[in-house]
Amino acid sequence: MARSCLALVRFIGICSAAACVRTDEIMHQDIIPLYAADIQDQLKKQFAYLSGGRGGDGCPVITFPDYPAFSEIPEKEFQNVLTYLTSIPSLRDAGIGFILVIDRRQDKWTSVKASILRIAASFPGNLQLVLVLRPTGFFHRALSDIAFRFNRDELKMKVPIIMLGSVSELQGYIDKTQLTEDLGGTLDYCHNRWLSRRTAIEGFAQKVKQTAQILQSFGTELAETELPNDVQSTSSLLATHTEKKDKMKEDIRVAVEQGDDILGSITKPVTENPEYKLNQDQLDNQTTVERLLAQLHETETAFDEFWIKHQQKLEQCLRLRNFEQDFREVKAALDIVSERLSAFTDVGNSRSHVEHILKDLANFEEKSHETVAKARMLASERDAFIQSNHYAVDSIIPKCSELHHLCDAFTTETERRRNLLNKSLELHDLLEKSMKWCDEGIYLLASQPVDKCQSQDGAESALQEIEKFLDTGAGNKIKELNKIYREYAHILNEDLKDHVQKVFQKQESMEEMFQKRQVSLKKLAAKQTRPVQPVAPRPEAFVKSPCTSPGLQRENVSNSESSALRRVNYRKAKSDVTELHQSRGGSTMDDEENLAVLRQHVMNELIETERAYVEELLCVLEGYAAEMDNPLMAHLISPELQNKKDILFGNMEEIYHFHNRIFLRELETYIEYPELVGRCFLDQMEDFQIYEKYCQNKPRSESLWRQFSDSVFFQECQRKLDHKLSLDSYLLKPVQRITKYQLLLKEMLKYSKNCEGAEDLQEALTSILGILKAVNDSMHQIAITGYDGNLNELGKLLMQGSFNVWTDHKKGHTKVKDLARFKPMQRHLFLHEKAVLFCKKREENGEGYEKAPSYSYKHSLNMAAVGITENVKGDAKKFEIWYNAREEVYIIQAPTPEVKATWVNEIRKVLTSQLQACREASQHRTLEQTQSLPLPLPASSCASPSRNHIRNTKKMEEKKADLPSVEGCGTTAAPKYPEKGKGWAKPSQSLDASEENDGWSSAEEPLNSSDAEEEGGGGGEMKLTPGKYTVVTDYDKGVSEEFTVKSGDLVQLIREGEDGLWFVKNLSSGREGWIPANNLLMLIGNSKSAQSLSSSESGTASSNLSTSSSCSDSCNVSSTSFSDIKG
């Protein structure tokens, strides 16, 4: 800094000297200096000029040539020219005095007189001699001689005036070489050349002066500039100053070139002719230009020296700002990794868990290595700053020391965590060895043959086995519990301490069992030595006791051993009790053990992948989502991407918190019981609904990602995370994870079919598959366009799929053809609880999720007025959906028979649930109206109507088609939906008349006739009439155990029994048996098509009920078809 200030002072001094160029180098005017450029037009008149000639003592010669209009020259111009000419010679030459040569050879005396008087009055310099060439005419010459004598006093000047008659006389006073050619001399003089050169020299002098002033001002500006506090401003300032410096250097270069050109023009004659002699004025000009060039070079050198110091200062400032910025980033990164390191507080609850944590710590350390290395590298720059004599080294050294301290602290803490985990691993190894030793001991006790222990040799052999086994405990068992507590005190938490205590208790129990077994065996071995005749025990004794021996004490020992064996490791004891059990069930046990190993393998994979999944989510949230709010990264985010974090990441944070705080912890509690993990899924099943929101947002997220995938921000985040894959791969993780669960559950269920939790696993698998289906359906549902209503009001979306659809509107609008359309329509159907929507699938465009189709809404049908015909003749993939008593019929063709069956079953469930709700409402209303139920009607009154009666009834129904229907099931009002084309069609007000179609309907009963009201009383239970019925629920609890029926079987009613039982014949199997009437549904007619389902509101004549349901007005009168539907 001191050297920089000294350079500045020197530079400003030189610039000041160059800016104040002494006038004697160019001119020496006392007032404001005149320049040739200013009076160029006046000098061009050439009424006076400075030829460069000198007198004998070096006096400058000013020549006044013959100028006819001399008297007409304005006084101002005359004064300016004389002043300028006298200012050109040096002060020394001008001080000697000027010689004036006045050429008036072609003039008159009167003009000579006037010229001399005017010059004498206006000449501004010192005069040494005035030489006048008088007129050459005889008369004027004589007149001038006479007049000069008489007017000598009048023409009296400070210097003598000599009248000369010819140029030869003039050469007596001034050497011929100092006179121009017009005065008979040999001096080379060109007035235009002289004027041009004077203009150039003076312009160059001005250029040098201006350059010096600009450099001085620029130097002052640089010196007074305050150093910025950020990298960008410092870089900008350095670039600006460098640009200005380059411009200054260019100006200096141009000025030097200009001076060199002028100097070359002055010395050109000498260069061309070495014998050429420059006159004094030319020499003075050469000297002046050389001095100006020297001054310019000196100024440039001083500026360069100052600029080097200033540039160094700015570069040091920029380096400092970069260091400070890197310091802030590195320190923030170190704070983050230190915070993450502080999260490694868990010491593990098992060996595998500790190994997993150690692996995580190693991965974390590897990922953090770049941050620590960058911090150490930045801290190592301290020496470089010191060596370069940086001006801010006092503020840099503490920061470098802080970085060294943070890196050392991080390394130390990482090593401490690793040591703790290694200690924990060592402890778990010891615990596992102890447990394995205990299990082997229990196995040894359980595997010792009981019958062989009764002999002395057998007892001694068993004792040797026990002693040999106990010798192996030196390196396997826990010797002192307190020593373990002291040695591992820094890692023992409450859970781990409890685990140690349990293992130690197990070890003590096992050793106690060995001691008791040793006592028993020693007694058996010692017993044979007594001289007592042994009595052979009965064979049953070997079965009752492991070691039969008389005496109460031995029975107590055996009982205590059995009790201990039952307490410790029941699973091992159960599988390894005796060799007999092993031989009988060894294969089964091996299979079970293999299944247990496979279950544990699946469980380990589930937990390990769950931990990895949680870690990946955290990595994305911290490495990408959080960085979008980081002010230090804001400059990398384009304006269009700002405030789009919720779109890009959706509810990933919610998913992460669910898995990290709840699901992962719950999973880990089932690690020892993998077959029960289904309960864990079922308990958290509602929380898995959050994936539906994430998947619905996925198309918007992927579209945004494709738009900004090349963003520098994402590339920088990926570089920091050291990810090989880009962000979009990690945004797909939740979608992949939710689909992975069903695969793992399938595997677990495969190996747990005979286990306790098999039902929960099956239910969890079904629920997960349901969530996947709901997610998939919702992805299609959100693509529906053109629907005016609220889709949420339609209830749950049950099914969706694409079908071929034909229409057959027999009672529709006049524009609709009477016959079915031959060409099918491609429609995508959405089955909701309250409506079925018909949409047209649009073409797929775009990429990725943008390729998802869209669906244009066409129309919808209210499920309260819908019926179905399950089978259509001639095509096993077709079924019918009809509306308002078949006013509108839609023939649906599924892609496969399986898809058709799935849809028919789902629609049947919807219609059945509607009928069930309607029937319950009717029963509730009936209970409110009556205190007791009427007696059942006689069988004769409910006999099946004849065909003619049915035909007459149909005709009556057609005649009454315009009558308003009776209100039915009115306990809950249906929602108001838009009309067809905007929502769905209004419920039909006409009778549900079964026409000549091949669909099935229920028995038509004259519910609205007066006879029916008189006989039935309106609220009594209707009895079934003979005919064909279909079974809607499985039944295998009849009187005859061999008679069973399944849902969908056709049965023929034979006779009615008591307690609601009917004797029927299964038309499928040909067998007969009793079955509850509530399981039957009557089929009317001999049509070849399958049963017809309807939930449309019935009219006053009949109700159309089928395998599904009917929300008809007859619900409050009869329950013939679905009196009791289970499930």
Side-chain angles (χ1 to χ4, degrees):
M1 290 296 292
R3 291 198 302 270
S4 178
C5 293
L6 291 175
L8 175 63
V9 172
R10 180 173 178 272
F11 168 64
I12 293 178
I14 293 175
C15 290
S16 300
C20 302
V21 179
R22 294 179 56 85
T23 56
D24 63 350
E25 295 181 359
I26 302 175
M27 56 197 71
H28 49 85
Q29 298 158 7
D30 295 335
I31 316 174
I32 300 176
L34 291 175
Y35 299 99
D38 298 334
I39 59 174
Q40 187 173 8
D41 294 337
Q42 301 169 22
L43 291 173
K44 284 182 179 181
K45 294 180 180 181
Q46 201 175 350
F47 58 82
Y49 62 87
L50 188 67
S51 63
R54 290 290 189 272
D57 53 359
C59 297
V61 177
I62 296 178
T63 303
F64 288 87
D66 186 19
Y67 190 77
F70 187 80
S71 60
E72 298 177 1
I73 298 173
E75 184 61 30
K76 180 66 175 175
E77 293 183 7
F78 186 77
Q79 185 66 43
N80 287 341
V81 171
L82 291 182
T83 303
Y84 178 74
L85 292 177
T86 56
S87 67
I88 293 176
S90 65
L91 289 175
R92 182 182 62 81
D93 292 343
I96 299 175
F98 289 88
I99 297 177
L100 302 184
V101 178
I102 304 174
D103 184 10
R104 289 295 180 266
R105 288 175 293 176
Q106 304 299 325
D107 209 346
K108 301 177 180 179
W109 167 248
T110 55
S111 298
V112 173
K113 178 182 177 182
S115 298
I116 293 174
L117 291 175
R118 186 173 188 181
I119 292 172
S122 302
F123 195 80
N126 296 329
L127 287 174
Q128 189 181 43
L129 182 65
V130 178
L131 301 176
V132 181
L133 290 173
R134 59 189 175 185
T136 57
F138 177 79
F139 175 76
H140 290 288
R141 182 176 182 181
L143 181 61
S144 62
D145 290 340
I146 297 171
F148 181 72
R149 294 190 187 98
F150 287 103
N151 296 291
R152 185 179 295 274
D153 293 337
E154 185 179 356
L155 297 174
K156 188 176 182 180
M157 300 177 69
K158 295 179 182 179
V159 295
I161 299 176
I162 300 175
M163 302 297 290
L164 302 175
S166 64
V167 294
S168 58
E169 294 179 5
L170 177 62
Q171 293 174 1
Y173 293 92
I174 301 175
D175 190 84
K176 183 179 180 180
T177 59
Q178 302 299 316
L179 293 175
T180 59
E181 294 179 356
D182 58 340
L183 295 176
T186 61
L187 182 65
D188 181 23
Y189 175 77
C190 176
H191 189 70
N192 290 333
R193 183 179 63 195
W194 175 89
L195 182 59
S196 175
R197 185 169 295 168
R198 287 303 306 175
T199 303
I201 292 174
E202 292 172 3
F204 175 59
Q206 285 291 96
K207 181 70 173 178
V208 172
K209 181 179 180 180
Q210 291 176 0
T211 302
Q213 290 175 345
I214 293 174
L215 288 176
Q216 180 182 0
S217 176
F218 181 54
T220 304
E221 177 188 348
L222 296 184
E224 294 177 353
T225 300
E226 293 185 2
L227 299 179
N229 293 324
D230 59 278
V231 174
Q232 186 175 0
S233 299
T234 306
S235 300
S236 177
L237 180 63
L238 180 59
T240 302
H241 284 187
T242 302
E243 183 179 358
K244 288 184 179 180
K245 183 267 298 183
D246 293 340
K247 187 176 183 304
M248 294 294 100
K249 292 287 290 183
E250 180 64 20
D251 292 342
I252 293 174
R253 186 190 64 80
V254 172
V256 170
E257 288 182 357
Q258 182 180 351
D260 290 339
D261 291 341
I262 295 172
L263 186 61
S265 66
I266 295 175
T267 60
K268 182 178 180 181
V270 178
T271 304
E272 295 177 351
N273 184 12
E275 296 180 357
Y276 183 86
K277 301 294 183 182
L278 296 176
N279 60 42
Q280 190 60 44
D281 279 355
Q282 291 174 332
L283 293 174
D284 290 344
N285 288 341
Q286 180 181 355
T287 303
T288 300
V289 173
E290 288 175 348
R291 287 182 182 178
L292 290 174
L293 284 173
Q295 186 68 42
L296 192 60
H297 284 303
E298 185 179 3
T299 303
E300 183 181 12
T301 302
F303 174 74
D304 289 341
E305 181 182 350
F306 169 71
W307 170 254
I308 290 174
K309 302 298 181 183
H310 179 72
Q311 184 182 27
Q312 181 182 6
K313 181 180 178 181
L314 284 181
E315 289 176 348
Q316 286 185 347
C317 178
L318 179 60
R319 187 178 178 187
L320 174 63
R321 300 301 176 239
N322 279 317
F323 173 81
E324 292 174 343
Q325 178 174 319
D326 292 342
F327 173 79
R328 289 192 294 269
E329 292 178 356
V330 169
K331 187 175 183 303
L334 284 176
D335 291 341
I336 292 175
V337 297
S338 298
E339 183 179 353
R340 291 184 180 177
L341 179 61
S342 63
F344 283 88
T345 56
D346 197 352
V347 293
N349 51 26
S350 65
R351 177 184 174 84
S352 60
H353 190 195
V354 176
E355 289 176 345
H356 181 78
I357 297 175
L358 277 170
K359 183 179 179 181
D360 289 345
L361 181 62
N363 292 335
F364 169 74
E365 188 176 9
E366 183 180 353
K367 293 178 181 179
S368 304
H369 176 72
E370 182 181 356
T371 300
V372 177
K374 187 176 181 180
R376 292 194 183 278
M377 183 179 297
L378 187 63
S380 65
E381 294 183 7
R382 175 181 61 181
D383 297 336
F385 280 110
I386 295 175
Q387 292 176 2
S388 63
N389 296 323
H390 198 283
Y391 68 88
V393 68
D394 293 338
S395 64
I396 294 173
I397 293 177
K399 290 184 173 64
C400 293
S401 301
E402 183 179 358
L403 289 179
H404 276 301
H405 173 72
L406 290 175
C407 291
D408 293 341
F410 175 79
T411 304
T412 303
E413 181 62 18
T414 303
E415 191 62 27
R416 189 182 74 85
R417 299 281 181 182
R418 185 184 293 105
N419 293 336
L420 288 178
L421 290 172
N422 287 330
K423 264 301 189 186
S424 178
L425 188 64
E426 180 182 323
L427 176 59
H428 283 291
D429 282 340
L430 179 60
L431 295 177
E432 287 188 1
K433 286 181 179 179
S434 177
M435 293 179 66
K436 183 178 180 181
W437 186 67
C438 292
D439 292 340
E440 291 175 354
I442 295 172
Y443 176 78
L444 176 61
L445 293 178
S447 62
Q448 286 183 337
V450 177
D451 53 347
K452 294 181 180 180
C453 294
Q454 304 305 314
S455 64
Q456 183 178 7
D457 293 339
E460 290 178 352
S461 176
L463 279 172
Q464 289 177 0
E465 288 180 353
I466 291 176
E467 290 173 357
K468 184 178 180 180
F469 174 78
L470 291 177
D471 292 340
T472 63
N476 294 320
K477 68 177 183 178
I478 301 175
K479 298 178 181 179
E480 296 182 19
L481 188 60
N482 291 332
K483 183 179 179 181
I484 295 294
Y485 287 163
R486 289 194 303 271
E487 185 176 355
Y488 300 98
H490 48 292
I491 64 170
L492 283 177
N493 52 34
E494 292 298 327
D495 294 337
L496 193 53
K497 186 178 290 187
D498 291 343
H499 184 45
V500 172
Q501 290 177 351
K502 290 178 181 179
V503 173
F504 188 73
Q505 290 174 359
K506 179 178 181 180
Q507 178 181 301
E508 286 184 330
S509 300
M510 191 272 295
E511 290 177 336
E512 182 181 356
M513 292 166 58
F514 268 84
Q515 291 175 3
K516 292 179 180 180
R517 177 65 63 88
Q518 283 178 312
V519 171
S520 300
L521 292 175
K522 286 179 181 179
K523 289 182 179 180
L524 289 173
K527 177 182 177 182
Q528 302 300 330
T529 63
R530 292 184 296 175
V532 178
Q533 181 67 32
V535 179
R538 293 184 300 173
E540 293 83 354
F542 291 101
V543 180
K544 296 180 180 179
S545 175
C547 300
T548 57
S549 177
L552 180 60
Q553 181 180 1
R554 196 156 293 173
E555 287 183 2
N556 293 338
V557 171
S558 179
N559 290 337
S560 63
E561 284 181 27
S562 300
S563 177
L565 280 170
R566 286 193 300 269
R567 288 197 306 268
V568 182
N569 205 336
Y570 174 75
R571 184 175 296 175
K572 279 284 185 180
K574 179 179 179 181
S575 62
D576 302 318
V577 174
T578 62
E579 291 181 358
L580 179 62
H581 288 178
Q582 290 177 13
S583 62
R584 291 180 179 178
S587 178
T588 304
M589 292 297 178
D590 290 343
D591 292 342
E592 180 58 33
E593 287 297 326
N594 291 336
L595 291 175
V597 171
L598 292 172
R599 287 195 296 270
Q600 192 62 50
H601 175 73
V602 175
M603 190 67 190
N604 292 338
E605 181 182 358
L606 175 60
I607 293 179
E608 289 175 4
T609 55
E610 185 70 16
R611 289 170 179 164
Y613 174 56
V614 170
E615 182 65 25
E616 287 173 341
L617 293 181
L618 178 62
C619 192
V620 171
L621 292 174
E622 290 184 348
Y624 286 97
E627 289 297 304
M628 293 187 73
D629 298 328
N630 186 356
L632 299 178
M633 299 285 285
H635 65 285
L636 300 179
I637 304 176
S638 59
E640 296 82 3
L641 186 59
Q642 293 179 354
N643 302 322
K644 298 289 181 63
K645 184 173 72 173
D646 292 340
I647 296 178
L648 185 61
F649 298 97
N651 62 330
M652 180 181 284
E653 185 174 358
E654 183 182 6
I655 293 175
Y656 165 73
H657 288 312
F658 161 63
H659 285 271
N660 184 50
R661 299 175 180 175
I662 301 174
F663 190 62
L664 177 57
R665 298 182 181 181
E666 290 294 322
L667 277 180
E668 290 174 342
T669 61
Y670 287 87
I671 191 170
E672 299 294 338
Y673 313 99
E675 65 275 4
L676 304 180
V677 75
R679 176 50 51 191
C680 178
F681 279 89
L682 293 175
D683 292 342
Q684 311 301 330
M685 196 55 65
E686 290 187 5
D687 292 321
F688 279 104
Q689 303 295 332
I690 58 180
Y691 279 90
E692 184 172 346
K693 180 180 178 182
Y694 185 85
C695 293
Q696 288 178 352
N697 180 70
K698 196 67 176 69
R700 300 175 63 202
S701 172
E702 187 163 299
S703 177
L704 184 65
W705 164 253
R706 278 197 307 276
Q707 186 178 356
F708 297 100
S709 59
D710 296 333
S711 172
V712 180
F713 169 76
F714 293 127
Q715 296 175 0
E716 179 64 16
C717 291
Q718 183 177 349
R719 185 191 64 79
K720 288 183 177 180
L721 293 171
D722 193 22
H723 282 178
K724 295 181 180 179
L725 300 177
S726 54
L727 174 61
D728 58 328
S729 300
Y730 292 90
L731 293 178
L732 196 60
K733 292 292 182 181
V735 181
Q736 295 172 337
R737 188 59 183 170
I738 191 64
T739 57
K740 177 72 173 178
Y741 288 131
Q742 56 100 6
L743 299 176
L744 293 172
L745 286 173
K746 284 180 180 178
E747 285 294 308
M748 186 66 76
L749 182 60
K750 179 180 177 181
Y751 307 134
S752 309
K753 292 182 179 179
N754 298 325
C755 296
E756 177 184 351
E759 294 182 0
D760 288 343
L761 285 171
Q762 181 61 56
E763 186 178 353
L765 175 59
T766 303
S767 300
I768 285 291
L769 291 175
I771 288 177
L772 291 176
K773 178 181 178 301
V775 169
N776 181 59
D777 291 346
S778 67
M779 296 292 289
H780 289 273
Q781 184 180 7
I782 62 176
I784 296 176
T785 60
Y787 183 75
D788 293 340
N790 186 355
L791 292 174
N792 294 329
E793 295 179 356
L794 306 184
K796 182 180 178 181
L797 177 62
L798 304 175
M799 302 281 288
Q800 56 85 23
S802 295
F803 300 89
N804 292 329
V805 178
W806 291 264
T807 58
D808 186 8
H809 297 180
K810 296 185 178 180
K811 294 185 178 182
H813 301 290
T814 58
K815 293 183 180 181
V816 181
K817 294 182 179 181
D818 294 336
L819 299 177
R821 294 176 53 172
F822 292 99
K823 184 178 181 180
M825 297 179 291
Q826 301 296 326
R827 289 292 181 263
H828 200 90
L829 272 60
F830 293 86
L831 176 62
H832 294 260
E833 291 177 326
K834 298 180 182 179
V836 56
L837 272 62
F838 290 76
C839 300
K840 185 174 182 179
K841 185 177 181 180
R842 298 300 180 184
E843 294 183 358
E844 305 172 1
N845 295 313
E847 298 179 358
Y849 276 92
E850 287 189 359
K851 293 183 66 176
S854 62
Y855 305 98
S856 297
Y857 169 77
K858 293 302 181 182
H859 66 278
S860 57
L861 304 177
N862 189 340
M863 292 302 292
V866 163
I868 67 168
T869 301
E870 295 186 17
N871 294 320
V872 175
K873 183 178 180 181
D875 194 337
K877 296 185 291 185
K878 288 183 180 179
F879 64 97
E880 288 183 352
I881 298 179
W882 38 272
Y883 194 67
N884 282 349
R886 301 187 67 85
E887 284 186 2
E888 302 176 13
V889 178
Y890 299 89
I891 302 173
I892 312 298
Q893 184 183 46
T896 63
E898 292 75 14
V899 174
K900 168 206 165 181
T902 304
W903 273 74
V904 168
N905 290 336
E906 197 64 39
I907 295 174
R908 182 190 296 119
K909 290 178 184 178
V910 174
L911 300 180
T912 302
S913 63
Q914 291 181 354
L915 177 62
Q916 183 73 8
C918 182
R919 185 174 61 80
E920 291 176 357
S922 174
Q923 291 176 352
H924 179 71
R925 186 165 58 252
T926 301
L927 290 175
E928 290 179 349
Q929 293 175 356
T930 62
Q931 296 297 326
S932 61
L933 292 174
L935 295 174
L937 295 176
S940 59
S941 65
C942 293
S944 177
S946 64
R947 294 181 181 268
N948 294 333
H949 179 71
I950 293 174
R951 189 179 300 110
N952 294 334
T953 303
K954 289 184 178 180
K955 292 181 179 180
M956 292 175 61
E957 290 172 353
E958 293 177 359
K959 293 179 181 180
K960 297 179 180 180
D962 297 331
L963 295 176
S965 61
V966 180
E967 179 182 0
C969 303
T971 55
T972 58
K976 296 181 179 180
Y977 302 105
E979 294 183 2
K980 184 176 180 182
K982 298 182 180 179
W984 58 53
K986 296 179 181 179
S988 174
Q989 299 297 328
S990 62
L991 300 179
D992 191 354
S994 177
E995 303 191 25
E996 296 82 20
N997 57 68
D998 49 358
W1000 291 100
S1001 62
S1002 64
E1004 275 117 349
E1005 299 160 351
L1007 300 179
N1008 293 329
S1009 65
S1010 59
D1011 295 338
E1013 291 176 358
E1014 290 173 0
E1015 293 176 3
E1021 181 180 355
M1022 291 288 291
K1023 291 188 176 181
L1024 295 177
T1025 57
K1028 295 180 181 180
Y1029 288 79
T1030 184
V1031 179
V1032 295
T1033 58
D1034 294 345
Y1035 186 80
D1036 56 359
K1037 299 179 180 180
V1039 176
S1040 175
E1041 295 182 357
E1042 297 180 355
F1043 181 72
T1044 59
V1045 292
K1046 296 184 178 179
S1047 176
D1049 287 349
L1050 298 180
V1051 295
Q1052 176 69 45
L1053 176 59
I1054 298 177
R1055 64 179 181 272
E1056 180 184 5
E1058 298 179 353
D1059 300 327
L1061 293 176
W1062 286 78
F1063 191 80
V1064 298
K1065 179 179 181 181
N1066 190 335
L1067 300 181
S1068 299
S1069 62
R1071 297 184 179 182
E1072 297 180 353
W1074 293 95
I1075 191 171
N1078 293 336
N1079 287 56
L1080 302 179
L1081 181 65
M1082 184 174 178
L1083 296 177
I1084 299 298
N1086 296 320
S1087 175
K1088 296 181 180 179
S1089 66
Q1091 51 268 39
S1092 174
L1093 307 181
S1094 171
S1095 66
S1096 60
E1097 297 180 34
S1098 299
T1100 58
S1102 67
S1103 63
N1104 186 4
L1105 303 181
S1106 65
T1107 31
S1108 186
S1109 65
S1110 174
C1111 187
S1112 65
D1113 294 333
S1114 63
C1115 291
N1116 59 353
V1117 178
S1118 171
S1119 58
T1120 55
S1121 301
F1122 285 99
S1123 57
D1124 281 308
I1125 296 180
K1126 299 180 181 180

